[in-house]
Amino acid sequence: MGHHFGDRPMLIGGVFTAASSKEWITSVNPATEDEIGRAPAGTKEDVGRAVDAAAQAQPGWNAKSIWERAALLRKAAAGFRARAQEILVMEATDTGNTIAKLRADVEIAAGYLEYFAGLGTEMKGDTVPATSTGLHFTLREPYGVVARIVPFNHPFMFAGAHLAAPLMAGNTVVLKTPETSPLSGHLLGQVCAEVLPPGVVNIVSGYGMPVGDALVRHPNVRRIGFTGSVATGLAIQRAAAETSVKHVSLELGGKNPLLVFPDADVEKAVTAAVSGMNFSWAGQSCGSTSRLLVHESLYARAVELTRAKVAALKLGDPLDPSSEMGPVNSAGHYKRVMSFIDKGRNEGAKLVTGGGRPKSEAFKRGYWIEPTVFANVSPDMTVGREEIFGPVMAISKWKTTEEAIAMANATQYGLTAGIFTNDITVALNTAKRIESGVVAINGSVMHFVGLPFGGVKNSGLGGEEALEELLSYTQSKAIHVLM
Ligand code: NAD
């Protein structure tokens, strides 16, 4: 520990800059509460400057061939990799995410730049024989300036990966970093400033109000890609609608069920559920398998296996490669997660392990919460229904398949779901009936490059990580040649 990263300005029009207010947000290491650096507390005026810079750069960027844009995206990917160690140390210190697993984040961000760089020729239009003599076809065109707003759980990965599709489609970008854990946004900015023409990527930091809100409301921003909570997603839809017609896509929260059928290998199912909880990010994953719904015949065994695995997790310094879980991200989030744990107790769920602050002296400072498991959770309990976005699993028991599916669907969310059974008919019928954007059968891995990731219901709108993400950053124009 003991890192300090100094002041980390924003990137606007190729120039690193403080906020117009000259105010800063101090970032703390969630493992120690030590101050580790500052990012500008951006203003509406800064957002205006960033959007202007992006608008100025956009025609030149769009005039480049797909091959030229692809080459620059690949260069940015190489830039991420070249700085991987610096990014990792800063990100682990600023977020509390454990460094061993965090390594993949830089690679994933670089990988998405390379993946979308290869998809330029897929931005195809159609030719339609609307008349016998004419020529009728569609073109895909960029929106212009795109806003991308990212959350605190994987700031570098989301910021880096989310540049790829809009840029490849010929848009320029204004990216907003999260107010807790903003520091790695500056390293991303350094790579962009080295590789891309000024104004193609602009990075603004600060609070949702005013920075995110000003970006959403800006009349020259017609396309907004948001990753974050349901409440902010709803606020963004409202704010966007108040200023102009905008295409908003939303990647929001989840309360993701993993269903264990009576024929399943319970040990494998529990291993997948605990791994899918992403304790390496203290459960702060939209896709965390936070609800384990188990058939009554396997229930007692599943509870015991989960308890044993979760209780054995090694909490420790996020920079120590042997640590399996760090603290939660911020003081505010610590209070929020602890209040959910209290609700679990008060509403009658059975605490199986964890449930508070770890006792040892090593965790006296920082936002540490024990990995926690509740059993006997019913869908009407808060811990069985609401996204906690923390290291808290809820286990519930069911008797019939109908009951299991009803339980799985009994939340406002629909992001990911897991199904454990060897009966192909049960697996596929259940997969079809679960209200969820992504379903894994006999596993809990949900991200595969080239397949869409995204939610239904209040978990979001619009798939990402696949061709449809690229196409969603284009709009169609129909051209009719009348002969
Ligand atoms: P959040 O909604 O509080 O903040 C996300 C971003 O939005 C931040 O940059 C914030 O400053 C900004 N923001 C806040 N208010 C705004 C406003 N009024 N207008 C515009 N921008 C505003 O979310 P968080 O707490 O940082 O992240 C946790 C949430 O993100 C969880 O719900 C999690 O499930 C979700 N998430 C979803 C995915 C996914 O792919 N579906 C991935 C990661 C996280």
Side-chain angles (χ1 to χ4, degrees):
M1 300 195 197
H3 289 280
H4 200 287
F5 304 102
D7 286 349
R8 298 288 172 163
M10 311 186 278
L11 177 66
I12 298 181
V15 178
F16 286 99
T17 170
S20 64
S21 62
K22 306 281 177 244
E23 284 176 14
W24 296 79
I25 297 174
T26 299
S27 223
V28 299
N29 178 346
T32 61
E33 297 176 53
D34 292 337
E35 294 185 2
I36 55 166
R38 301 193 306 172
T43 62
K44 189 176 170 190
E45 193 189 326
D46 297 323
V47 169
R49 285 195 296 134
V51 175
D52 289 349
Q56 216 178 340
Q58 198 269 335
W61 178 246
N62 190 40
K64 289 186 188 300
S65 72
I66 54 168
W67 313 111
E68 288 171 308
R69 290 205 294 272
L72 291 173
L73 293 194
R74 290 194 181 99
K75 250 183 155 174
F80 291 179
R81 291 198 181 97
R83 282 174 179 265
Q85 192 55 29
E86 193 185 352
I87 295 166
L88 285 174
V89 171
M90 184 186 271
E91 189 88 325
T93 311
D94 203 11
T95 59
N97 292 341
T98 54
I99 198 157
K101 284 281 177 78
L102 197 54
R103 274 177 205 288
D105 277 25
V106 178
E107 188 48 43
I108 289 169
Y112 276 109
L113 286 171
E114 291 168 342
Y115 168 67
F116 284 110
L119 288 184
T121 54
E122 296 306 307
M123 292 187 284
K124 294 170 183 167
D126 296 311
T127 318
V128 178
T131 63
S132 59
T133 52
L135 178 59
H136 308 264
F137 63 96
T138 58
L139 286 181
R140 289 189 177 273
E141 296 182 334
Y143 280 85
V145 179
V146 162
R148 295 229 64 163
I149 302 176
V150 299
F152 68 72
N153 58 332
H154 297 275
F156 187 88
M157 183 187 82
F158 284 128
H162 287 177
L163 297 176
L167 290 183
M168 195 56 210
N171 304 280
T172 51
V173 177
V174 179
L175 174 87
K176 188 210 164 292
T177 54
E179 57 266 48
T180 62
S181 316
L183 301 181
S184 64
H186 181 256
L187 298 184
L188 179 69
Q190 286 181 338
V191 173
C192 292
E194 277 161 27
V195 170
L196 300 172
V200 168
V201 170
N202 304 275
I203 301 177
V204 290
S205 56
Y207 296 104
M209 286 287 178
V211 177
D213 184 64
L215 193 50
V216 168
R217 288 176 189 272
H218 197 294
N220 290 344
V221 175
R222 294 278 181 189
R223 175 77 178 91
I224 298 153
F226 173 71
T227 306
S229 64
V230 175
T232 307
L234 293 173
I236 286 175
Q237 284 187 322
R238 281 193 298 272
E242 279 175 16
T243 47
S244 47
V245 172
K246 295 170 192 260
H247 176 169
V248 178
S249 57
L250 302 169
E251 291 284 347
L252 309 176
K255 185 75 178 176
N256 309 297
L258 191 145
L259 281 69
V260 186
F261 283 85
D263 68 319
D265 178 333
V266 65
E267 179 124 28
K268 273 194 185 148
V270 166
T271 303
V274 172
S275 148
M277 256 310 285
N278 293 315
F279 284 105
S280 2
W281 336 120
Q284 299 161 120
S285 261
C286 54
S288 289
T289 43
S290 51
R291 287 191 295 153
L292 186 55
L293 312 183
V294 188
H295 186 259
E296 59 179 355
S297 60
L298 301 176
Y299 186 75
R301 178 105 179 99
V303 171
E304 173 46 27
L305 284 169
T306 310
R307 186 206 60 73
K309 281 188 190 297
V310 171
L313 289 167
K314 183 180 172 239
L315 269 65
D317 177 3
L319 289 170
D320 176 346
S322 73
S323 296
E324 293 172 315
M325 186 177 131
V328 298
N329 185 266
S330 65
H333 196 52
Y334 173 87
K335 282 199 199 106
R336 189 170 173 273
V337 174
M338 283 298 199
S339 80
F340 274 115
I341 293 176
D342 288 345
K343 281 198 181 111
R345 280 205 183 87
N346 297 338
E347 290 177 7
K350 181 180 170 204
L351 184 65
V352 175
T353 185
R357 214 183 154 83
K359 310 280 173 301
S360 135
E361 192 63 17
F363 305 115
K364 217 171 160 195
R365 284 169 63 79
Y367 314 127
W368 296 93
I369 299 177
E370 288 173 317
T372 296
V373 178
F374 283 109
N376 300 354
V377 174
S378 61
D380 56 320
M381 291 178 188
T382 310
V383 290
R385 202 178 63 228
E386 290 303 323
E387 181 188 47
I388 298 174
F389 211 60
V392 184
M393 287 180 82
I395 315 184
S396 309
K397 188 194 313 189
W398 53 269
K399 284 195 174 94
T400 65
T401 302
E402 286 308 307
E403 196 189 345
I405 292 172
M407 226 180 224
N409 290 341
T411 73
Q412 64 169 319
Y413 304 100
L415 190 57
T416 72
I419 299 167
F420 269 79
T421 175
N422 292 312
D423 183 327
I424 188 84
T425 310
V426 171
L428 293 179
N429 275 335
T430 308
K432 283 169 83 173
R433 292 180 62 196
I434 281 192
E435 296 163 352
S436 180
V438 188
V439 179
I441 295 170
N442 292 333
S444 60
V445 182
M446 307 285 176
H447 296 266
F448 292 91
V449 175
L451 281 101
F453 183 87
V456 299
K457 293 159 73 182
N458 275 356
S459 287
L461 203 56
E464 298 193 331
E465 307 172 12
L467 177 60
E468 65 192 73
E469 180 182 350
L470 177 65
L471 300 184
S472 80
Y473 285 92
T474 68
Q475 45 194 349
S476 290
K477 177 183 278 174
I479 298 184
H480 306 286
V481 184
L482 302 168
M483 292 183 275

